[in-house]
């Protein structure tokens, strides 16, 4: 790979406006890694570039819960939570689970419901309506749960900043256990227990967990408490590992770093998911035509969006119900409904994204922040649109849907910019009705009077994190490869580094001076092609959602001229055959 400094192939600006940079891999360390562990040179180079040391490579490549799972008691208030919930199970109280409406919330809710049922307890799930009730606990819902017979309420993936609702619940005599992972403030809500590794006084070093990861640790602690109380003398103790498919799904979809414990939870959870024991996940996989061993791609881009769709544009609790049902016919019917809601979500998203991009191009971008807002956008898709804008502009992005003088906003961030803390700081400065989040994502509500001040506050806060020059849009390249060398064997070798996600990105390769042998449009807006190289070979490739985009148009109109093409090499399985395929991310002109 030719470089100018750390610029790959001299690409300072690709067709998507990115600077291509080489990942930092040391030849000597990669060689030692290869010799010690019997790895290929390319896998060793990728591991070194990911910061994996020669002594930790085995743990990274084969992550096990046995070696990485901590004692849940390390988290503040975990023993208090286990004590109160075990008391509820043994006394026959109904445990109410108040869950968020996204995948992390749905999987957390389903995990607790399945565990409590398995040990003979009683449990009800409540998921608020996104448009009518908004995010997090609200007092009318909590009071309603109490009046329906709930004895103790567990909030999952929410609650850490729900000060007023939980104060009202405490005054009404409702015991609440908060299970969350979002950024906390010095002040904690009124509750029997607040379990959150991101509490300021929590030194468990587990702050990267998704809410479902925290919920899994709660299940472990609760199971241990019940065992010590003799609950399993006359009934079988459940195998907690059977629910790791839920943990993997929620962890991947919440885009937390797939390192350490998260990596082990997802790696083992995907194996459980492949067994297809969860009736709801099986039904959803069938409806979505997933007929191979699931990966983080299937969890994050096929199953997750469908579980999410009910909460975004349809029935808020449908995802959690699907993940807890024991009826196959019911699961099939709910999976079909979620698939239909997902189609509607995509249509709404397309319209919102087009309008948001047009607004941003006309002046919705500061040095470090992308911001778009409108009256007619559906609040259920603004988070996805914010994610698309973040990917497009390589900047933190916020999208706001206005109704009745109040804007409901959702933001997505980039590595190195803590968006959640910025939103919390804005709320503490009385610029927001409410708001919170974690480093990579945040939600908020803002009044019309404060919108301009909030936007400036957020832009200034982000600029202090990234510097006055804004964010450099870059694409990290791990290595160069010719089409002849991009084989199924290479793709399978690279799969050893999986699961891929935040904190462990999928390896990215560049095909220098490749030529497009054939290109056409498939689906609604995907560009498919075959690539040939300077040393021969022919590689199948596809660029998703790129029709009408600069890099997609470059592929369709190359007219035999060479292009530098960057993307991921994956195995494509079709009719019993395995062959390599390049998932194209970016294209650059050959200088």
């Amino acid at each position: 790979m030719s470089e100018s400094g750390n610029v790959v192939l001299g690409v300072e600006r690709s067709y998507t406006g990115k600077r291509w940079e080489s990942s930092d891999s040391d030849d000597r360390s990669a060689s030692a890694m290869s010799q010690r562990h019997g790895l290929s040179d390319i896998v060793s180079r990728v591991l070194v570039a990911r910061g994996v040391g020669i002594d930790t490579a085995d743990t990274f490549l084969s992550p096990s819960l046995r070696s990485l799972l901590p004692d849940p008691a390390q988290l503040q208030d975990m023993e208090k939570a286990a004590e109160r919930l075990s008391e509820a199970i043994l006394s026959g109280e109904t445990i109410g689970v108040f869950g968020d409406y996204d995948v992390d919330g749905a999987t957390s809710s389903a995990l607790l419901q399945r565990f409590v049922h398995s040990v003979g307890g009683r449990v009800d799930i409540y998921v608020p309506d996104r448009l009518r009730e908004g995010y997090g606990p609200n007092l009318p819902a909590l009071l309603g749960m109490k009046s329906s017979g709930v004895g103790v309420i567990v909030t999952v993936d929410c609650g850490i900043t729900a000060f007023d609702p939980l104060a009202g619940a405490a005054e009404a005599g409702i015991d609440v256990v908060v299970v969350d992972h979002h950024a906390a403030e010095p002040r904690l809500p009124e509750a029997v227990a607040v379990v959150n590794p991101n509490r300021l006084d929590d030194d468990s070093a587990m702050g990267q967990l998704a809410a479902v990861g925290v919920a899994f640790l709660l299940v472990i602690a609760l199971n241990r408490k019940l065992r010590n109380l003799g609950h399993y003398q006359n009934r079988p103790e459940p195998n907690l590992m059977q629910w790791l498919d839920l943990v993997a799904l929620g962890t991947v979809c919440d885009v937390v770093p797939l390192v350490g414990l998260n990596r082990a939870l997802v790696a083992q959870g995907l194996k459980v998911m492949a067994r297809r024991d969860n009736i709801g996940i099986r039904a959803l996989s069938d409806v979505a035509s997933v007929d191979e061993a699931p990966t983080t791609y299937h969890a994050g881009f096929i199953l997750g969006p469908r579980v999410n769709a009910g909460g975004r544009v349809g029935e808020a609790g449908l995802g959690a119900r699907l993940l807890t049902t024991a009826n196959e016919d019911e699961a099939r019917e709910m999976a079909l409904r979620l698939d239909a809601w997902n189609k509607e979500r995509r249509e709404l998203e397309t319209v919102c994204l087009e309008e948001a991009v047009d607004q941003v191009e006309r002046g919705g971008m500061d040095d470090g922040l992308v911001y778009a807002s409108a009256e007619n956008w559906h609040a259920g898709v603004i988070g996805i649109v914010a994610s698309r804008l973040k990917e497009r502009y390589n900047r933190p992005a916020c999208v706001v849907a206005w109704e009745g003088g109040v804007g409901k906003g959702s933001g997505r961030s980039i590595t190195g910019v803590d968006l959640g803390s910025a939103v919390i700081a804005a709320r503490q400065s009385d610029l927001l009705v409410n708001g919170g989040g974690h480093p990579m994502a945040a939600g908020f509500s803002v009044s019309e009077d404060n919108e301009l001040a909030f936007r400036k506050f957020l832009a200034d806060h982000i600029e202090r994190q990234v510097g006055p020059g804004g964010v450099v849009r870059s694409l990290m390249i791990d290595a160069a490869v010719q089409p002849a060398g991009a084989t199924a064997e290479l793709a399978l070798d690279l799969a050893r580094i999986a699961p891929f996600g935040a904190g462990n990105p999928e390896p990215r390769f560049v095909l220098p001076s490749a030529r497009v042998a054939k290109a056409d449009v498939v689906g609604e807006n995907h560009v498919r092609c075959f690539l040939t190289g300077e040393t021969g070979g022919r590689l199948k490739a596809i660029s998703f959602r790129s029709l009408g985009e600069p890099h997609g148009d470059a592929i369709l109109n190359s007219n035999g001229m060479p292009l530098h093409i960057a993307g991921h090499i994956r195995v494509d399985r079709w009719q019993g055959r395995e062959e390599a395929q390049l998932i194209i991310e970016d294209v650059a002109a050959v200088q």
Side-chain angles (χ1 to χ4, degrees):
M1 186 190 313
S2 62
E3 301 173 10
S4 174
N6 66 342
V7 179
V8 174
L9 298 169
V11 177
E12 292 283 359
R13 185 176 179 83
S14 68
Y15 280 106
T16 65
K18 295 185 178 69
R19 182 177 189 259
W20 289 6
E21 299 179 359
S22 60
S23 59
D24 186 16
S25 184
D26 177 68
D27 289 347
R28 180 177 298 178
S29 297
S31 178
M33 178 85 73
S34 179
Q35 293 176 18
R36 167 86 71 88
H37 298 285
L39 302 172
S40 68
D41 177 69
I42 199 161
V43 167
S44 298
R45 287 178 177 277
V46 171
L47 288 176
V48 171
R50 299 290 184 274
V52 179
I54 193 169
D55 295 325
T56 59
D58 283 337
T59 300
F60 185 87
L61 293 172
S62 302
S64 72
L65 290 173
R66 183 181 299 275
S67 61
L68 293 169
L69 194 65
D71 184 340
Q74 293 179 27
L75 276 79
Q76 290 282 354
D77 280 5
M78 181 63 85
E79 290 300 291
K80 291 181 182 178
E83 180 72 33
R84 181 62 183 91
L85 295 178
S86 64
E87 176 188 312
I89 291 170
L90 295 175
S91 65
E93 282 183 279
T94 297
I95 296 172
V97 177
F98 189 105
D100 189 19
Y101 34 63
D102 68 358
V103 183
D104 196 15
T107 52
S108 299
S109 300
L111 172 64
L112 290 181
Q113 191 260 22
R114 284 185 172 273
F115 172 77
V116 174
H117 270 182
S118 75
V119 299
R122 301 166 60 185
V123 58
D124 285 333
I125 293 175
Y126 184 93
V127 179
D129 181 272
R130 179 189 294 263
L131 300 182
R132 183 170 52 84
E133 298 175 85
Y135 169 79
N138 63 85
L139 186 56
L142 298 176
L143 295 175
M145 293 173 75
K146 180 186 179 184
S147 66
S148 69
V150 166
V152 57
I153 296 174
V154 185
T155 70
V156 289
D157 197 27
C158 58
I160 192 63
T161 58
F163 303 114
D164 292 341
L166 294 193
E171 186 176 343
I174 304 173
D175 284 349
V176 175
V177 173
V178 173
V179 178
D180 204 350
H181 72 128
H182 292 98
E185 301 182 28
R187 173 190 176 193
L188 293 176
E190 291 187 50
V192 171
V194 178
V195 182
N196 183 341
N198 287 304
R199 279 177 52 161
L200 300 185
D201 61 347
D202 191 295
D203 57 3
S204 64
M206 288 181 257
Q208 293 181 328
L209 288 173
V212 72
V214 181
F216 186 66
L217 292 181
L218 172 61
V219 164
I220 294 173
L222 181 52
N223 187 64
R224 181 168 61 190
K225 178 69 71 174
L226 291 172
R227 185 193 308 124
N228 292 339
L229 292 171
H231 187 61
Y232 299 127
Q233 290 180 355
N234 299 310
R235 65 181 307 125
E237 182 173 337
N239 176 12
L240 307 187
M241 300 301 108
Q242 67 182 302
W243 299 308
L244 283 174
D245 50 1
L246 295 170
V247 181
L249 181 59
T251 299
V252 169
C253 291
D254 220 52
V255 202
V256 292
L258 296 190
V259 296
L261 178 56
N262 282 340
R263 181 171 170 79
L265 291 170
V266 171
Q268 302 306 319
L270 290 174
K271 294 177 184 177
V272 175
M273 196 181 296
R275 301 203 305 253
R276 293 167 58 90
D277 292 336
N278 185 295
I279 291 172
I281 294 178
R282 182 167 72 231
L284 200 61
S285 297
D286 290 343
V287 166
S289 301
V290 177
D291 56 1
E292 59 185 300
T295 65
T296 52
Y297 169 77
H298 297 105
F301 295 97
I302 297 180
L303 301 178
R306 287 168 169 81
V307 173
N308 238 344
R312 289 191 180 280
V313 299
E315 305 159 79
L318 192 57
R321 285 170 51 203
L322 173 75
L323 297 175
T324 55
T325 184
N327 184 298
E328 293 198 17
D329 291 336
E330 184 181 59
R332 172 75 179 177
E333 188 268 336
M334 286 192 287
L336 288 169
R337 277 159 56 195
L338 283 170
D339 191 59
W341 285 122
N342 192 51
K343 289 183 174 68
E344 180 174 335
R345 185 272 305 167
R346 286 201 299 263
E347 293 170 359
L348 292 168
E349 175 196 333
T350 298
V351 173
C352 182
L353 179 61
E354 290 175 353
E355 294 178 358
V357 168
D358 180 64
Q359 188 179 131
V360 169
E361 298 290 347
R362 289 186 289 106
M365 185 156 51
D366 302 301
D367 271 349
L369 174 69
V370 174
Y371 190 98
S373 67
E375 287 277 353
N376 61 331
W377 291 342
H378 193 292
V381 301
I382 57 175
I384 303 174
V385 173
S387 182
R388 299 275 186 255
L389 294 178
K390 179 260 298 186
E391 294 167 2
R392 185 184 186 100
Y393 297 105
N394 198 42
R395 287 168 166 80
C398 290
V399 179
V400 182
W402 288 92
E403 184 177 358
V406 176
K408 292 183 178 180
S410 186
R412 297 294 183 270
S413 194
I414 60 174
T415 301
V417 178
D418 188 342
L419 185 61
S421 67
V423 167
I424 289 173
R427 183 172 60 76
Q428 292 172 334
S429 300
D430 295 326
L431 295 176
L432 295 174
V433 178
N434 57 53
H438 52 76
M440 300 303 290
F444 56 87
S445 296
V446 61
S447 67
E448 286 182 311
D449 292 342
N450 283 335
E451 185 188 22
L452 289 178
F454 166 65
R455 177 172 171 177
K456 184 179 186 307
F457 179 95
L458 203 59
D460 291 345
H461 200 286
I462 290 171
E463 184 177 310
R464 286 195 295 272
Q465 295 187 55
V466 302
V471 181
V472 176
R473 302 183 66 204
S474 61
L475 194 75
M476 299 304 297
I477 305 292
D478 287 290
V481 66
Q482 289 291 329
T487 63
E489 289 74 22
L490 173 60
L492 290 169
D493 200 24
L494 292 168
R496 298 182 64 184
I497 309 171
F500 301 121
N504 182 40
E506 186 174 1
R508 186 179 291 113
F509 299 87
V510 62
L511 275 65
S513 301
R515 296 181 187 272
V516 179
K518 177 185 177 183
D520 59 3
V521 178
V522 294
E524 295 181 1
N525 56 358
H526 312 312
V527 176
R528 177 179 61 185
C529 62
F530 288 91
L531 304 173
T532 61
E534 297 170 322
T535 60
R538 183 180 174 92
L539 178 64
K540 181 168 62 175
I542 188 166
S543 179
F544 292 112
R545 296 191 305 271
S546 65
L547 181 63
E549 300 291 337
H551 60 303
D553 291 345
I555 296 168
L556 290 169
N557 303 308
S558 67
N559 298 317
M561 298 299 292
L563 295 168
H564 299 318
I565 299 181
H568 307 295
I569 299 171
R570 296 178 186 161
V571 175
D572 182 43
R573 296 178 174 89
W574 177 251
Q575 296 182 340
R577 298 194 306 271
E578 289 185 341
E579 56 184 354
Q581 178 175 238
L582 183 73
I583 309 301
I584 298 174
E585 278 193 287
D586 204 359
V587 178
V590 176
Q591 302 299 321

